[in-house]
Amino acid sequence: MVSGLDPHLSVKALEIQVPRIAKMRNIEETELLRLIENHIESPLLGFLGPEKVHVLELNIALDKMAGKKGVEDVK
């Protein structure tokens, strides 16, 4: 997932990518949608701006699901 300099993507932008990401990650689309839903951040003050997802946090969660080691796991 690519978002340029901003670490966030809108929920809609991620939903459009679900089929491609699920195929690449070898997971069910419904499982990915559930994970996205669990990582949605509310707008500032509850109404300023769209709901968004922090892409790095989502990728870390996807890696943990796949059992990959991250930087924090390397000794």
Side-chain angles (χ1 to χ4, degrees):
M1 292 176 263
V2 179
S3 64
L5 297 176
D6 186 357
H8 296 91
L9 279 177
S10 70
V11 175
K12 187 68 175 169
L14 281 172
E15 288 173 348
I16 291 168
Q17 297 182 58
V18 163
R20 179 184 64 81
I21 296 165
K23 183 177 179 181
M24 288 177 57
R25 293 282 189 157
N26 198 28
I27 62 173
E28 295 292 324
E29 289 184 22
T30 54
E31 191 174 5
L32 178 56
L33 286 167
R34 234 184 342 265
L35 193 60
I36 289 170
E37 187 176 308
N38 290 336
H39 283 81
I40 293 175
E41 298 176 3
S42 297
L44 183 63
L45 302 176
F47 65 92
L48 295 175
E51 292 183 323
K52 58 192 175 198
V53 176
H54 193 285
V55 177
L56 177 59
E57 291 176 3
L58 180 61
N59 280 330
I60 289 170
L62 285 164
D63 286 347
K64 285 183 180 180
M65 281 178 50
K68 292 183 179 179
K69 289 189 173 222
V71 174
E72 66 278 358
D73 297 324
V74 177
K75 294 185 179 193

